[in-house]
Amino acid sequence: MEKKYHHGDLRNALIKAGMEILEENGLPGLSLRAIAARVGVSHTAPKNHFGSLRGLLTAIGAEGFRMHARAMRDGVSETSPGKERLRAAIDGYVAFAEAHPALFAMMFSPLYCDFADEDLSTEARKSYAVLEDISTGLDWDKGALPHGQLRTEMMLWSLAHGFATLRLAGQFRDGDCGIPKFAPQDILPDFDYRPDVPGH
């Protein structure tokens, strides 16, 4: 017997079910029918709400970016020194990827997510804003070049995302070729912040 949901509850229930299946079985196990079956509704219900599997994955991706931003902000206050916030954000970035590998891979892929979607783009922007914050005022050799702020953001994003992606791909394994299992902060350069930037 199908469960009865109000419109708003059903949408959230479908997203939650999709995230659960994604965590348990990865992308290969995710389908509109599987999500509908878990929620206990008609197999047409997800399509009525999201239009297609990609539409539902886009909604799941938006929730992923909300979680991602929280993970980067977790454990450190806005009044903490810049270096402490930098380490916490990079550690949070990688920890999120390790805790939710399938979600992490999916939410950055245009194959699965529609980045023109307003909700997804808004949440992705909020996640990126954490990187903007920790990169502001960073004192390094490329920071004084044209578009120095953007260069800094790209550098930190590349470091965090590259480290997380390689870790998920099985690289940097403990004891692999004698290499210890480094944490992100173990390879993060010893950056300083310019003293003229508030909060750093």
Side-chain angles (χ1 to χ4, degrees), residues 116-129:
D117 177 81
E118 183 176 355
D119 190 33
L120 178 67
S121 61
T122 296
E123 297 306 325
R125 186 73 185 79
K126 290 178 182 177
S127 178
Y128 186 79

Side-chain angles (χ1 to χ4, degrees), residues 16-83:
K16 180 181 177 183
M19 294 187 74
E20 289 172 353
I21 294 172
L22 190 63
E23 297 279 343
E24 294 166 9
N25 305 316
L27 278 164
L30 197 59
S31 69
L32 293 180
R33 283 184 177 273
I35 292 168
R38 176 161 299 208
V39 175
V41 295
S42 163
H43 69 274
T44 61
K47 190 172 183 179
N48 292 338
H49 279 269
F50 301 100
S52 64
L53 178 59
R54 188 165 184 252
L56 178 51
L57 293 180
T58 297
I60 292 172
E63 181 58 32
F65 277 111
R66 291 186 191 99
M67 296 164 59
H68 188 237
R70 286 197 299 269
M72 285 191 286
R73 291 193 179 101
D74 204 24
V76 63
S77 71
E78 291 299 317
T79 59
S80 299
K83 283 187 176 182

Side-chain angles (χ1 to χ4, degrees), residues 136-177:
T136 300
L138 200 66
D139 191 7
W140 69 304
D141 62 335
K142 304 294 190 299
L145 296 175
H147 308 292
Q149 174 63 24
L150 181 58
R151 290 173 190 265
T152 307
E153 294 164 15
M154 292 174 66
M155 177 272 295
L156 288 179
W157 193 10
S158 297
L159 189 151
H161 198 85
F163 189 98
T165 301
L166 287 167
R167 175 70 65 80
L168 292 182
Q171 306 303 318
F172 309 147
R173 292 187 295 259
D174 189 13
D176 187 18
C177 300

